[in-house]
Amino acid sequence: ILYHMGIVYTNLENYPQALAAYQQALSLSRTLGTRETEGDILAGMGKLYDTQNQSELAITFFKQSVNVREGIRKDLKVLPVEQQQSFTDTVAEDYRRLADLLTQQNRNLEALRVLDLLKVQELQDYLSNVRGDDNTVDGITELTEEQEILKGTQPIIDQAIALGQELSELETIPNHKRTQTQQQRIIQLRKNQAQLTKDFQNFLKSPEVEARLAKLRETTEAENLDLKKYAKRLQEQLQQLEQDAVILYPLVLDDRLELVLVTPYAPPIRRTVKVKQKDLERAIKNFRRLLANPARNARTPAEQLYDWLIKPIEADLAKANAKTIIYAPDGKLRYIPLGALYDGEQWLIERLRVNHITALSLTSLDNKPTPQLDVFAAAVTKAHTIPVGEDESRYFAPLSFTQPEVESLAETLPNTTTLIDKQFHGDTIYQMNDYSVVHLATHAVFKKTKQDSIILFGDGSHVTLTEVEEKWDLSNVDLVVLSACQTGLGGELGDGKEILGFGYLMQNAGADAAIASLWSVNDKGTQALMNKFYQVLKQGNVTKAEALRQAQIAFISSKVGSGFEHPYFWAPFILIGNGL
């Protein structure tokens, strides 16, 4: 109740009363040990100070909220399902708000860390049981001044907890049974409680806190040891890849787009693009619509999106001599291929490799692939109708080019086992871990919930992403290819969590990387592109990301025959995970 009173008072702009309610709620939640509520209250305090344009205090409380919640995620699997769900409902929005505040202050390293944790949180929203690990449990570094402010509030909260415990015990005694001493003590404790609330407010307005906030405004991230280590680790990761790689994290906000770029030899760079979310999303939807029709020219929206996503960092990419973009898209940006952006003269993929990731903290970028290419290749050719819900069914059209696709693959790579139609069924998943590459030329549909997202088998049965999560072991697999996936069906674009979720599930099952298509190209085009991809990969000393890029360039330059130059044919294929 106190927490909700804090929200109401904030909305009514009665800020002292809001803070009083939050402080009492915080003391109570710590007494009861309800960490989810504690995280919500701290985020509420962050919003309260953000509303009053007190960014440093807002960041301090939002950060503590993030760290409480990341601590919870470590133990998430032991929580009941309904508590898991309540944990995920509003958290992503709070992470986004903190990243917004940090980018406004040019605190780019901290923003990058929050953006990474936001990706993990979005996976949690989609999959429900993404557990924290050693990379996420520490949350986000609290700067020295922030720690001191929080330390200053602690004695007041400790007193409030002790006082609250005594008061609640006395209040359990019915009125008519209380002694005079007990009644006097209750009155005194309530007075003390009111005084502690006042002390809490006064401390946050005190000259000591003001001095610390002023220092925060002047402090650079480079002065913090933990952030220095984090920056160094990111830069070393990029250097060790030897791919001239940079990391790009866009953040889509209501009033602007923030681009956070990490390069191998410099601190993170932030570029702000003045484009409203609704305008960006309109352009994404239009681009996606034109990409899906090879008879339409997609270059105009491709150029507009290039101007928003790449042009602001063009000079930074050139300075870093970038050849690879490791890309963690945000929201609806997940539905469009970065490589299909157009600079007025050429497509981005002609200049740069693109390697998607779910989140940095969940991706091992430097695992080297197995030299030997042993391939498990399955194809579904026939039409199937499968039940969906009680009274509905879904029809899947025949895929006439999938059999030639896997047969051609077997010619290119002799160590290939092919399974056609009924040979590919639910039990064959237990063979997949004997191969370095798993290639599935079948219908796969990724929708807004993992229960509705399916991969079709050749005998007409199917597996949902929920079952993939439970049953698939791909710990020996370097690459999973799904060559006929569909996302954003019927032009309905969500927030792209299903694409993020698929990539994570493949990694979580043990695979280093996955290639998926953002839309299905039921055409010999897919066969030709996959054929070219494996021909390049077979050469050795070529990364998966580069092999995919070369296959796409072969289409653009008509080297695989004319008629495939439109991005409809080559652009849907994206690589998620380790691109080596």
Side-chain angles (χ1 to χ4, degrees), residues 3 22 26 30 37-47 58 60-66 68 150:
Y3 164 61
Y22 281 137
L26 187 61
R30 286 183 179 169
T37 309
E38 183 184 345
D40 292 343
I41 294 161
L42 289 162
M45 293 169 81
K47 289 169 195 167
T60 301
F61 285 109
F62 268 128
K63 274 188 175 184
Q64 204 182 21
S65 166
V66 165
V68 167
L150 293 169

Side-chain angles (χ1 to χ4, degrees), residues 6 13 35 44 87 97 195 345 357 361-362 378 420 487 492:
E13 298 182 15
R35 288 190 298 159
F87 173 72
R97 195 157 175 177
Q195 184 58 46
E345 292 182 9
I357 55 170
S361 55
L362 299 175
I420 311 296
T487 64
E492 186 187 348

Side-chain angles (χ1 to χ4, degrees), residues 335-349:
Y335 291 107
I336 58 168
L338 193 70
L341 302 191
Y342 192 69
D343 68 3
E345 292 182 9
Q346 59 182 173
W347 306 101
L348 184 67
I349 201 68

Side-chain angles (χ1 to χ4, degrees), residues 23 27 152-161 196-197 199-201 203:
Q23 181 266 319
S27 301
T153 65
Q154 198 56 50
I156 302 169
I157 291 169
D158 288 343
Q159 284 180 59
I161 289 170
L196 283 173
T197 299
D199 291 347
F200 189 83
Q201 292 176 337
F203 172 73

